[in-house]
Each structure stands twice: as C-alpha cells, then as structure tokens.
C-alpha cells in the first residue's frame, strides 16, 4: 500500500509537467497560426489597395459598376437618409449600393427587349423612402421594394412616354406630340395626372405653328420642370434645321403654364436645355451649351450660358457664361444655391458652380470615361456622378 502511494506521488508531478508541455505546444501553434493569418491578411490588403487605387481628391467613395455596351446610365438618386445610391440603366435595370461599404446591395429588373427608341432621358427615378423606389419600368410606373426585390406596377400611364414627377411625388406629367410638322400643324401635349388615382388634372398644349421657317427638322423636347409649390410647369424645345451632312439649331422656346387654368406664356430665353425653379418657384434657371440641339457657331467661345428669369414678370434677371459646356448632365442642390455640371466629351471632370453668380467653385477629377449623370443628395452635402463603369460620390459640404 505504501509503495502504491509513493508511485502516485511521483506520477502527479510528471502528469503536470506533461500537461504544461502540451499547453505550451498549443500556445505556440496558436501564435504561429495568428502570425500566419496576419501575414495573409496584410498581403490581401496590399493586393486590394493595389487593385483599388486611392480615391481622387474630394471623393468619398468609388462604386464599381462594370461595363456593357447597352448599360447606359439614365439617372441617379440618393436614398432620403443619404446612405445609399441607386442607378437606373437604359435597359431598366436598377442597381443599389451602400455608401459606407461601397458594396452593391441589389440588382433588380432589366429588360432583354431593350430598345433605343424608349424615352430614357425623360424617365422617373424617385426614392419614396429608404426602402422603396418609384421608377419608370418597361410596363409603366412601378414601385420597387429594395429589400425584397418585389415590384408593383402603380400605373401604365407613363408606359412608353416621356414622364416627370412632381417634387412631392404625388403627380406626374406625360408628354405626346401630334399633327404634321411639314404642314405646321404639330402640337405638343402635356397631361398632368394624380398619381394615386390615375386621374387627369390638367392638359397643357403648345402649338409649333410659329416655329422658325428654317426648322425643317422639327423641334426636340429639351426639358421640363415643376415649381416647388406645384402652381407652374415649364417646358422647352430646341428647333432643328437640316444642312448638308449636319443638323443645326435654328431657335428655341420656353413655355410656362399656370396649373390652375392651363394658360401658356413664353420666355424669350437663349438657354433651354435645362430648367430648374429657384426661390420656391419665383425664379427659373435656364442653362444651355454649345452641345445642345445640333451644331452651334464655332466662333462662340462661351460653351455655357445660364439665365435667371423672374417667373411672375417674365423678365431676365441675370445672365452668366462659362467656358464649360452646360448642355450635358446638370444637377441643382436642394436649396438651389449650387449646381453641378460635367465637362463634356473631352473632359471627364465634374464642376460645381454658384447659381447666383455663375462662379465656378470646384472641379472634381477622377472619372476615366464620360460623365453621363449627376445627382445631389437630399441634404446637399454630396454629389454622385456616374460614367458607364464607375460612380464617384463627392463631398461638397462647405463649398457654399
């Protein structure tokens, strides 16, 4: 019995030594594993940094979109909380990104039967809330649930027609043209609808019988804008003539309609390719450029023109000119104090301007391809710009 107790006394220290040795070996293995993991992660981060170059100056995030020949971006929109961005392509595809992670949250819709004849420049992309999007789909106006991907058609009124939505999201306008241009009987018709009831509210018409004689190629619709108070709608056209191997601009017109009675009046402005109401609808900004509506005079060294008009009096208050073409994509800040433009075919930059003076306050450079769409965030702190393959989000806080 005494011998047994003696052997047990010797065995316990040995067992403890073996256990300690095993623990040290496990600890060494864990340290080795942790070290190797850190090395792998460091190498992965280095490869990622090499694959994704540093952001250009002023940019907050870069969103990679890929590139397809028929994947032309039509419009951009921020969510109301300014945490995500949505992009609509010409094939009716909706894509959704998280700005904090630069990750794509979802891709919805798309139409294999895409046609270039569809009214892509005048289609709707309106964030109802952070999870719901109203947009022009191939079968009409639809609401898309950004979480589930489910789509519900609201109305077919806008199917195949140029359309716009009011600032409050409650009304839409659809556009059509009738009659013969050669016989000078062509008439443009805008119809204002209650979106919820799909009921007609008012019809606005414009006759082209007084168009310039040289406008043998007709008139191209350039822009439409709602006043914030919903009392006025503005629309503009560019008259086109045909010459040897070229089309050229021969005139323009801006119309204002009183929503209550449908009465029309005109502004004799030179700038028509973009319209935007300012000061709660009291003034109208009209922007244009040499690239709008066919060829302009090559002797015109000023590529961009901005005019500010008093809506009630029909008088021009200010006129600004720029060396940057303002006929391309344009976006105004929510308070109207700033607007953004792209540099055109030879310049892939984004420019920011003061609306009150036409003064350039910032140039953002970073796109490798032509900028095709611009959008301000609802808080006015960011601008999203999209080329075919990339979206860049820029910080504009403090530029005012």
């Amino acid at each position: 019995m005494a011998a047994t107790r003696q052997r047990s006394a010797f065995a316990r220290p040995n067992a403890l030594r073996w256990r300690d040795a095993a623990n040290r070996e496990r600890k060494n293995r864990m340290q080795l594993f942790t070290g190797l993991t850190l090395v792998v992660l460091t190498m992965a981060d280095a490869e990622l940094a090499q694959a994704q170059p540093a952001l250009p100056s002023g940019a907050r995030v870069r969103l990679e979109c890929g590139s397809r020949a028929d994947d032309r971006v039509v419009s951009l929109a921020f969510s109301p909380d300014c945490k995500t961005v949505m992009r609509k392509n010409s094939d009716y595809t909706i894509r959704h990104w998280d700005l904090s992670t630069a990750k794509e949250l979802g891709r919805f819709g798309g139409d294999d039967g895409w046609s270039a004849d569809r009214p892509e420049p005048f289609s709707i992309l309106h964030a109802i809330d952070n999870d719901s999007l109203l947009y022009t789909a191939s079968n009409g106006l639809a609401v898309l649930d950004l979480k589930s991907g489910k789509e519900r058609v609201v109305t077919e009124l806008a199917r195949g027609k140029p359309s716009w939505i009011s600032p409050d999201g409650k009304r839409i306008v659809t556009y059509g043209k009738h009659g013969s241009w050669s016989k000078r009987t062509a008439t443009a018709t805008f119809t204002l609808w209650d979106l919820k009831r799909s009921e007609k509210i008012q019809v606005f018409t414009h006759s082209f019988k007084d168009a310039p004689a040289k406008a043998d190629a007709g008139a191209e619709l350039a822009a439409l804008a709602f006043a914030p108070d919903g009392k006025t709608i503005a629309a503009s056209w560019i008259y086109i003539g045909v010459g040897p191997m070229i089309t050229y601009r021969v005139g323009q017109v801006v119309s204002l309609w009183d929503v209550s009675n449908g009465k029309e009046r005109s502004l004799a402005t030179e700038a028509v390719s973009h319209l935007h109401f300012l000061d709660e609808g009291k003034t109208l900004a009209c922007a244009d450029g040499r690239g709008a509506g066919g060829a302009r005079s090559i002797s015109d060294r000023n590529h961009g023109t901005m005019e500010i008009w008093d809506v009630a009096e029909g008088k021009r208050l200010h006129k600004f000119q720029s060396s940057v073409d303002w006929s391309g994509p344009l976006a105004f800040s929510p308070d109207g104090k700033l607007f953004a433009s792209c540099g055109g075919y030879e310049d892939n930059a984004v420019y920011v301007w003061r609306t009150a003076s036409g003064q350039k306050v910032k140039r953002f450079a970073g796109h490798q391809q032509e900028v095709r769409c611009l959008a301000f965030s609802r808080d006015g702190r960011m601008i999203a710009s999209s080329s075919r393959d990339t979206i860049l989000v820029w910080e504009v806080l403090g530029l005012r």
Side-chain angles (χ1 to χ4, degrees), residues 60-111:
R60 177 175 177 174
V61 64
R62 176 191 285 108
L63 308 174
E64 300 296 345
C65 308
S67 179
R68 283 176 46 195
D70 63 347
D71 232 8
R72 188 165 67 86
V73 57
V74 175
S75 49
L76 291 171
F78 283 87
S79 59
D81 63 6
C82 306
K83 294 181 179 180
T84 67
V85 163
M86 291 138 290
R87 166 175 139 161
K88 181 175 182 287
N89 293 343
S90 57
D91 63 352
Y92 297 107
T93 299
I94 298 292
R95 301 179 67 179
H96 187 209
W97 285 272
D98 185 304
L99 295 182
S100 64
T101 63
K103 300 295 184 181
E104 187 170 3
L105 299 175
R107 188 178 304 194
F108 314 98
D111 187 354

Short mmCIF file of all heavy atoms in Angstrom, two decimals, residues 60-111:
data_model
loop_
_atom_site.label_atom_id
_atom_site.label_comp_id
_atom_site.label_asym_id
_atom_site.label_seq_id
_atom_site.Cartn_x
_atom_site.Cartn_y
_atom_site.Cartn_z
N ARG A 60 -15.61 60.69 -51.80
CA ARG A 60 -15.92 59.95 -50.57
C ARG A 60 -15.89 58.46 -50.80
O ARG A 60 -15.45 57.69 -49.94
CB ARG A 60 -17.29 60.37 -50.06
CG ARG A 60 -17.76 59.62 -48.83
CD ARG A 60 -19.06 60.18 -48.32
NE ARG A 60 -19.57 59.42 -47.19
CZ ARG A 60 -20.64 59.77 -46.49
NH1 ARG A 60 -21.31 60.86 -46.81
NH2 ARG A 60 -21.04 59.04 -45.48
N VAL A 61 -16.36 58.01 -51.94
CA VAL A 61 -16.40 56.58 -52.23
C VAL A 61 -16.46 56.37 -53.73
O VAL A 61 -16.95 57.22 -54.48
CB VAL A 61 -17.63 55.92 -51.54
CG1 VAL A 61 -18.94 56.46 -52.10
CG2 VAL A 61 -17.60 54.41 -51.64
N ARG A 62 -15.91 55.24 -54.17
CA ARG A 62 -16.00 54.83 -55.57
C ARG A 62 -16.82 53.55 -55.63
O ARG A 62 -16.58 52.61 -54.89
CB ARG A 62 -14.62 54.57 -56.16
CG ARG A 62 -14.65 54.03 -57.59
CD ARG A 62 -13.30 53.53 -58.07
NE ARG A 62 -12.40 54.62 -58.38
CZ ARG A 62 -11.36 54.98 -57.66
NH1 ARG A 62 -11.10 54.30 -56.52
NH2 ARG A 62 -10.58 55.98 -58.00
N LEU A 63 -17.80 53.52 -56.54
CA LEU A 63 -18.63 52.34 -56.75
C LEU A 63 -18.36 51.80 -58.14
O LEU A 63 -18.56 52.50 -59.14
CB LEU A 63 -20.12 52.71 -56.61
CG LEU A 63 -20.50 53.46 -55.33
CD1 LEU A 63 -21.96 53.89 -55.38
CD2 LEU A 63 -20.23 52.61 -54.10
N GLU A 64 -17.89 50.55 -58.21
CA GLU A 64 -17.57 49.95 -59.49
C GLU A 64 -18.83 49.33 -60.09
O GLU A 64 -19.52 48.56 -59.44
CB GLU A 64 -16.48 48.89 -59.33
CG GLU A 64 -15.17 49.43 -58.76
CD GLU A 64 -14.48 50.43 -59.67
OE1 GLU A 64 -14.85 50.51 -60.86
OE2 GLU A 64 -13.56 51.12 -59.20
N CYS A 65 -19.09 49.65 -61.35
CA CYS A 65 -20.34 49.22 -62.00
C CYS A 65 -20.14 48.21 -63.10
O CYS A 65 -21.11 47.65 -63.62
CB CYS A 65 -21.07 50.43 -62.58
SG CYS A 65 -21.32 51.77 -61.42
N GLY A 66 -18.90 47.97 -63.54
CA GLY A 66 -18.69 47.12 -64.70
C GLY A 66 -18.97 47.91 -65.96
O GLY A 66 -19.29 49.10 -65.93
N SER A 67 -18.89 47.25 -67.10
CA SER A 67 -19.10 47.96 -68.36
C SER A 67 -19.75 47.05 -69.39
O SER A 67 -19.28 45.95 -69.64
CB SER A 67 -17.75 48.46 -68.90
OG SER A 67 -17.91 49.12 -70.12
N ARG A 68 -20.88 47.51 -69.92
CA ARG A 68 -21.57 46.82 -71.01
C ARG A 68 -22.00 47.85 -72.03
O ARG A 68 -22.37 48.97 -71.69
CB ARG A 68 -22.80 46.08 -70.49
CG ARG A 68 -22.52 44.79 -69.77
CD ARG A 68 -23.79 44.20 -69.20
NE ARG A 68 -24.86 44.21 -70.18
CZ ARG A 68 -26.14 44.02 -69.87
NH1 ARG A 68 -26.49 43.83 -68.61
NH2 ARG A 68 -27.07 44.03 -70.81
N ALA A 69 -22.00 47.46 -73.29
CA ALA A 69 -22.31 48.40 -74.36
C ALA A 69 -23.71 48.97 -74.23
O ALA A 69 -23.97 50.12 -74.56
CB ALA A 69 -22.14 47.73 -75.72
N ASP A 70 -24.67 48.15 -73.75
CA ASP A 70 -26.05 48.62 -73.66
C ASP A 70 -26.43 49.05 -72.25
O ASP A 70 -27.59 49.25 -71.96
CB ASP A 70 -27.01 47.52 -74.13
CG ASP A 70 -26.96 46.28 -73.26
OD1 ASP A 70 -26.03 46.17 -72.46
OD2 ASP A 70 -27.83 45.42 -73.40
N ASP A 71 -25.42 49.19 -71.38
CA ASP A 71 -25.70 49.50 -69.99
C ASP A 71 -25.59 51.01 -69.74
O ASP A 71 -24.94 51.43 -68.80
CB ASP A 71 -24.71 48.76 -69.09
CG ASP A 71 -25.42 47.97 -68.01
OD1 ASP A 71 -26.65 47.87 -68.05
OD2 ASP A 71 -24.74 47.47 -67.13
N ARG A 72 -26.20 51.82 -70.57
CA ARG A 72 -26.07 53.27 -70.44
C ARG A 72 -26.84 53.77 -69.23
O ARG A 72 -28.03 53.52 -69.10
CB ARG A 72 -26.56 53.96 -71.70
CG ARG A 72 -26.28 55.45 -71.71
CD ARG A 72 -26.44 56.02 -73.10
NE ARG A 72 -27.82 55.97 -73.55
CZ ARG A 72 -28.72 56.92 -73.28
NH1 ARG A 72 -28.38 57.94 -72.52
NH2 ARG A 72 -29.94 56.83 -73.75
N VAL A 73 -26.15 54.53 -68.38
CA VAL A 73 -26.81 55.06 -67.18
C VAL A 73 -27.77 56.16 -67.60
O VAL A 73 -27.47 57.00 -68.43
CB VAL A 73 -25.76 55.59 -66.18
CG1 VAL A 73 -24.87 56.65 -66.80
CG2 VAL A 73 -26.44 56.13 -64.94
N VAL A 74 -28.97 56.13 -67.02
CA VAL A 74 -30.01 57.10 -67.33
C VAL A 74 -30.19 58.09 -66.19
O VAL A 74 -30.33 59.29 -66.42
CB VAL A 74 -31.36 56.39 -67.62
CG1 VAL A 74 -32.46 57.41 -67.83
CG2 VAL A 74 -31.22 55.49 -68.84
N SER A 75 -30.20 57.61 -64.95
CA SER A 75 -30.44 58.52 -63.83
C SER A 75 -29.86 57.94 -62.54
O SER A 75 -29.64 56.73 -62.42
CB SER A 75 -31.93 58.81 -63.66
OG SER A 75 -32.69 57.63 -63.67
N LEU A 76 -29.63 58.85 -61.57
CA LEU A 76 -29.12 58.51 -60.25
C LEU A 76 -30.03 59.10 -59.20
O LEU A 76 -30.68 60.13 -59.42
CB LEU A 76 -27.71 59.10 -60.05
CG LEU A 76 -26.55 58.55 -60.85
CD1 LEU A 76 -25.32 59.43 -60.63
CD2 LEU A 76 -26.25 57.12 -60.45
N ALA A 77 -30.06 58.47 -58.02
CA ALA A 77 -30.83 59.02 -56.90
C ALA A 77 -30.22 58.54 -55.59
O ALA A 77 -29.78 57.39 -55.48
CB ALA A 77 -32.29 58.59 -56.98
N PHE A 78 -30.18 59.43 -54.61
CA PHE A 78 -29.81 59.06 -53.25
C PHE A 78 -31.06 58.64 -52.49
O PHE A 78 -32.17 59.10 -52.76
CB PHE A 78 -29.20 60.26 -52.52
CG PHE A 78 -27.77 60.57 -52.89
CD1 PHE A 78 -27.49 61.39 -53.96
CD2 PHE A 78 -26.72 60.07 -52.14
CE1 PHE A 78 -26.18 61.71 -54.30
CE2 PHE A 78 -25.41 60.37 -52.46
CZ PHE A 78 -25.14 61.19 -53.55
N SER A 79 -30.89 57.76 -51.51
CA SER A 79 -31.97 57.48 -50.58
C SER A 79 -32.19 58.70 -49.69
O SER A 79 -31.28 59.53 -49.53
CB SER A 79 -31.63 56.25 -49.72
OG SER A 79 -30.43 56.49 -48.99
N PRO A 80 -33.39 58.87 -49.11
CA PRO A 80 -33.64 60.04 -48.25
C PRO A 80 -32.65 60.18 -47.10
O PRO A 80 -32.32 61.31 -46.72
CB PRO A 80 -35.07 59.78 -47.75
CG PRO A 80 -35.70 58.97 -48.82
CD PRO A 80 -34.62 58.07 -49.33
N ASP A 81 -32.16 59.07 -46.54
CA ASP A 81 -31.20 59.17 -45.45
C ASP A 81 -29.76 59.35 -45.94
O ASP A 81 -28.82 59.42 -45.13
CB ASP A 81 -31.29 57.96 -44.52
CG ASP A 81 -30.93 56.64 -45.22
OD1 ASP A 81 -30.49 56.67 -46.40
OD2 ASP A 81 -31.12 55.57 -44.61
N CYS A 82 -29.58 59.42 -47.25
CA CYS A 82 -28.28 59.69 -47.89
C CYS A 82 -27.24 58.60 -47.62
O CYS A 82 -26.03 58.85 -47.70
CB CYS A 82 -27.72 61.05 -47.46
SG CYS A 82 -28.87 62.42 -47.71
N LYS A 83 -27.69 57.39 -47.30
CA LYS A 83 -26.77 56.29 -47.01
C LYS A 83 -26.58 55.34 -48.18
O LYS A 83 -25.64 54.54 -48.18
CB LYS A 83 -27.27 55.50 -45.80
CG LYS A 83 -27.24 56.29 -44.49
CD LYS A 83 -27.72 55.45 -43.32
CE LYS A 83 -27.66 56.23 -42.02
NZ LYS A 83 -28.12 55.43 -40.86
N THR A 84 -27.44 55.40 -49.18
CA THR A 84 -27.33 54.53 -50.34
C THR A 84 -27.56 55.34 -51.61
O THR A 84 -28.09 56.45 -51.58
CB THR A 84 -28.33 53.36 -50.29
OG1 THR A 84 -29.68 53.87 -50.41
CG2 THR A 84 -28.21 52.58 -49.00
N VAL A 85 -27.13 54.76 -52.73
CA VAL A 85 -27.32 55.36 -54.06
C VAL A 85 -27.93 54.33 -54.98
O VAL A 85 -27.58 53.14 -54.93
CB VAL A 85 -25.97 55.85 -54.64
CG1 VAL A 85 -26.07 56.09 -56.13
CG2 VAL A 85 -25.54 57.13 -53.96
N MET A 86 -28.85 54.79 -55.83
CA MET A 86 -29.48 53.93 -56.82
C MET A 86 -29.20 54.47 -58.22
O MET A 86 -29.17 55.68 -58.42
CB MET A 86 -31.00 53.87 -56.59
CG MET A 86 -31.37 53.11 -55.32
SD MET A 86 -32.69 53.89 -54.37
CE MET A 86 -31.93 55.34 -53.74
N ARG A 87 -29.03 53.55 -59.14
CA ARG A 87 -28.76 53.93 -60.53
C ARG A 87 -29.69 53.16 -61.45
O ARG A 87 -29.88 51.95 -61.28
CB ARG A 87 -27.30 53.63 -60.88
CG ARG A 87 -26.98 53.65 -62.37
CD ARG A 87 -25.50 53.48 -62.61
NE ARG A 87 -25.24 52.60 -63.73
CZ ARG A 87 -24.10 52.52 -64.40
NH1 ARG A 87 -23.09 53.30 -64.05
NH2 ARG A 87 -23.93 51.68 -65.39
N LYS A 88 -30.27 53.87 -62.42
CA LYS A 88 -31.14 53.24 -63.40
C LYS A 88 -30.43 53.25 -64.75
O LYS A 88 -29.91 54.27 -65.19
CB LYS A 88 -32.46 53.99 -63.51
CG LYS A 88 -33.46 53.39 -64.51
CD LYS A 88 -34.78 54.15 -64.45
CE LYS A 88 -35.80 53.53 -65.41
NZ LYS A 88 -35.47 53.84 -66.82
N ASN A 89 -30.40 52.08 -65.40
CA ASN A 89 -29.77 51.95 -66.70
C ASN A 89 -30.80 51.95 -67.82
O ASN A 89 -32.00 51.82 -67.58
CB ASN A 89 -28.94 50.66 -66.77
CG ASN A 89 -27.74 50.70 -65.85
OD1 ASN A 89 -27.32 51.77 -65.39
ND2 ASN A 89 -27.18 49.54 -65.55
N SER A 90 -30.33 52.07 -69.02
CA SER A 90 -31.24 52.17 -70.16
C SER A 90 -32.01 50.89 -70.43
O SER A 90 -33.01 50.91 -71.13
CB SER A 90 -30.44 52.56 -71.42
OG SER A 90 -29.42 51.61 -71.66
N ASP A 91 -31.56 49.76 -69.87
CA ASP A 91 -32.30 48.51 -70.05
C ASP A 91 -33.25 48.26 -68.88
O ASP A 91 -33.70 47.13 -68.68
CB ASP A 91 -31.34 47.33 -70.20
CG ASP A 91 -30.48 47.11 -68.96
OD1 ASP A 91 -30.51 47.96 -68.04
OD2 ASP A 91 -29.77 46.10 -68.91
N TYR A 92 -33.56 49.31 -68.11
CA TYR A 92 -34.48 49.28 -66.97
C TYR A 92 -33.91 48.54 -65.76
O TYR A 92 -34.65 48.23 -64.82
CB TYR A 92 -35.84 48.68 -67.35
CG TYR A 92 -36.58 49.47 -68.39
CD1 TYR A 92 -36.70 49.00 -69.69
CD2 TYR A 92 -37.17 50.68 -68.08
CE1 TYR A 92 -37.39 49.73 -70.65
CE2 TYR A 92 -37.85 51.41 -69.03
CZ TYR A 92 -37.96 50.94 -70.32
OH TYR A 92 -38.64 51.66 -71.27
N THR A 93 -32.63 48.27 -65.75
CA THR A 93 -32.01 47.66 -64.57
C THR A 93 -31.82 48.70 -63.48
O THR A 93 -31.36 49.81 -63.74
CB THR A 93 -30.65 47.04 -64.92
OG1 THR A 93 -30.82 46.03 -65.90
CG2 THR A 93 -29.98 46.43 -63.69
N ILE A 94 -32.18 48.34 -62.24
CA ILE A 94 -31.94 49.18 -61.08
C ILE A 94 -30.83 48.54 -60.24
O ILE A 94 -30.91 47.36 -59.91
CB ILE A 94 -33.20 49.32 -60.21
CG1 ILE A 94 -34.34 49.99 -61.00
CG2 ILE A 94 -32.90 50.11 -58.94
CD1 ILE A 94 -34.10 51.44 -61.34
N ARG A 95 -29.82 49.34 -59.90
CA ARG A 95 -28.75 48.86 -59.04
C ARG A 95 -28.66 49.72 -57.80
O ARG A 95 -28.92 50.93 -57.85
CB ARG A 95 -27.41 48.83 -59.81
CG ARG A 95 -27.47 47.94 -61.03
CD ARG A 95 -26.17 47.92 -61.81
NE ARG A 95 -25.09 47.29 -61.05
CZ ARG A 95 -23.85 47.13 -61.53
NH1 ARG A 95 -23.54 47.57 -62.74
NH2 ARG A 95 -22.93 46.55 -60.80
N HIS A 96 -28.27 49.11 -56.68
CA HIS A 96 -28.38 49.75 -55.36
C HIS A 96 -27.09 49.51 -54.59
O HIS A 96 -26.66 48.36 -54.43
CB HIS A 96 -29.60 49.14 -54.63
CG HIS A 96 -29.94 49.80 -53.35
ND1 HIS A 96 -30.55 49.13 -52.30
CD2 HIS A 96 -29.76 51.08 -52.91
CE1 HIS A 96 -30.74 49.97 -51.31
NE2 HIS A 96 -30.27 51.14 -51.65
N TRP A 97 -26.45 50.58 -54.09
CA TRP A 97 -25.18 50.47 -53.37
C TRP A 97 -25.25 51.10 -51.98
O TRP A 97 -25.94 52.11 -51.78
CB TRP A 97 -24.06 51.18 -54.14
CG TRP A 97 -23.55 50.49 -55.35
CD1 TRP A 97 -22.54 49.57 -55.42
CD2 TRP A 97 -24.00 50.69 -56.69
NE1 TRP A 97 -22.34 49.18 -56.72
CE2 TRP A 97 -23.22 49.85 -57.52
CE3 TRP A 97 -24.98 51.49 -57.27
CZ2 TRP A 97 -23.39 49.80 -58.90
CZ3 TRP A 97 -25.17 51.44 -58.64
CH2 TRP A 97 -24.38 50.60 -59.43
N ASP A 98 -24.50 50.53 -51.06
CA ASP A 98 -24.31 51.08 -49.72
C ASP A 98 -23.06 51.97 -49.76
O ASP A 98 -21.98 51.53 -50.15
CB ASP A 98 -24.11 49.95 -48.71
CG ASP A 98 -24.03 50.45 -47.27
OD1 ASP A 98 -23.16 51.29 -47.00
OD2 ASP A 98 -24.82 50.00 -46.44
N LEU A 99 -23.19 53.23 -49.35
CA LEU A 99 -22.07 54.17 -49.44
C LEU A 99 -21.01 53.93 -48.36
O LEU A 99 -19.85 54.26 -48.55
CB LEU A 99 -22.58 55.61 -49.33
CG LEU A 99 -23.47 56.09 -50.48
CD1 LEU A 99 -23.87 57.54 -50.27
CD2 LEU A 99 -22.77 55.92 -51.81
N SER A 100 -21.39 53.34 -47.23
CA SER A 100 -20.41 53.12 -46.16
C SER A 100 -19.47 51.97 -46.46
O SER A 100 -18.34 51.95 -45.99
CB SER A 100 -21.13 52.87 -44.83
OG SER A 100 -21.90 51.68 -44.89
N THR A 101 -19.93 51.01 -47.26
CA THR A 101 -19.11 49.83 -47.57
C THR A 101 -18.72 49.74 -49.04
O THR A 101 -17.88 48.91 -49.40
CB THR A 101 -19.86 48.54 -47.20
OG1 THR A 101 -21.06 48.45 -48.00
CG2 THR A 101 -20.24 48.54 -45.73
N ALA A 102 -19.34 50.56 -49.88
CA ALA A 102 -19.15 50.51 -51.34
C ALA A 102 -19.59 49.18 -51.93
O ALA A 102 -19.17 48.80 -53.02
CB ALA A 102 -17.69 50.79 -51.71
N LYS A 103 -20.45 48.45 -51.20
CA LYS A 103 -20.95 47.16 -51.67
C LYS A 103 -22.30 47.32 -52.37
O LYS A 103 -23.13 48.13 -51.95
CB LYS A 103 -21.10 46.18 -50.50
CG LYS A 103 -19.81 45.90 -49.75
CD LYS A 103 -18.79 45.18 -50.63
CE LYS A 103 -17.55 44.80 -49.83
NZ LYS A 103 -16.52 44.13 -50.67
N GLU A 104 -22.49 46.53 -53.41
CA GLU A 104 -23.78 46.54 -54.09
C GLU A 104 -24.78 45.74 -53.27
O GLU A 104 -24.55 44.58 -52.92
CB GLU A 104 -23.65 45.94 -55.49
CG GLU A 104 -24.91 46.08 -56.32
CD GLU A 104 -24.72 45.71 -57.78
OE1 GLU A 104 -23.60 45.29 -58.15
OE2 GLU A 104 -25.68 45.86 -58.56
N LEU A 105 -25.91 46.37 -52.95
CA LEU A 105 -26.93 45.73 -52.12
C LEU A 105 -27.92 44.92 -52.93
O LEU A 105 -28.55 44.00 -52.41
CB LEU A 105 -27.69 46.81 -51.33
CG LEU A 105 -26.86 47.65 -50.37
CD1 LEU A 105 -27.72 48.74 -49.75
CD2 LEU A 105 -26.25 46.77 -49.29
N GLY A 106 -28.09 45.27 -54.19
CA GLY A 106 -29.05 44.54 -55.01
C GLY A 106 -29.06 45.03 -56.44
O GLY A 106 -28.62 46.14 -56.75
N ARG A 107 -29.54 44.13 -57.31
CA ARG A 107 -29.71 44.44 -58.73
C ARG A 107 -31.06 43.90 -59.16
O ARG A 107 -31.34 42.72 -58.98
CB ARG A 107 -28.57 43.83 -59.55
CG ARG A 107 -28.55 44.26 -60.99
CD ARG A 107 -27.38 43.65 -61.74
NE ARG A 107 -26.09 43.94 -61.12
CZ ARG A 107 -24.92 43.74 -61.71
NH1 ARG A 107 -24.86 43.24 -62.92
NH2 ARG A 107 -23.80 44.03 -61.07
N PHE A 108 -31.89 44.76 -59.73
CA PHE A 108 -33.27 44.40 -59.98
C PHE A 108 -33.69 44.74 -61.41
O PHE A 108 -33.15 45.65 -62.03
CB PHE A 108 -34.21 45.14 -59.01
CG PHE A 108 -33.74 45.14 -57.59
CD1 PHE A 108 -33.06 46.22 -57.06
CD2 PHE A 108 -33.97 44.04 -56.77
CE1 PHE A 108 -32.61 46.24 -55.75
CE2 PHE A 108 -33.54 44.03 -55.46
CZ PHE A 108 -32.86 45.13 -54.94
N GLY A 109 -34.69 44.02 -61.87
CA GLY A 109 -35.32 44.34 -63.15
C GLY A 109 -34.44 44.02 -64.33
O GLY A 109 -33.67 43.05 -64.33
N GLY A 110 -34.54 44.86 -65.34
CA GLY A 110 -33.83 44.61 -66.59
C GLY A 110 -34.80 44.12 -67.64
O GLY A 110 -35.81 43.47 -67.33
N ASP A 111 -34.52 44.45 -68.89
CA ASP A 111 -35.41 44.09 -69.99
C ASP A 111 -34.57 43.65 -71.17
O ASP A 111 -33.84 44.43 -71.76
CB ASP A 111 -36.28 45.30 -70.38
CG ASP A 111 -37.35 44.96 -71.39
OD1 ASP A 111 -37.34 43.81 -71.88
OD2 ASP A 111 -38.16 45.83 -71.72
#
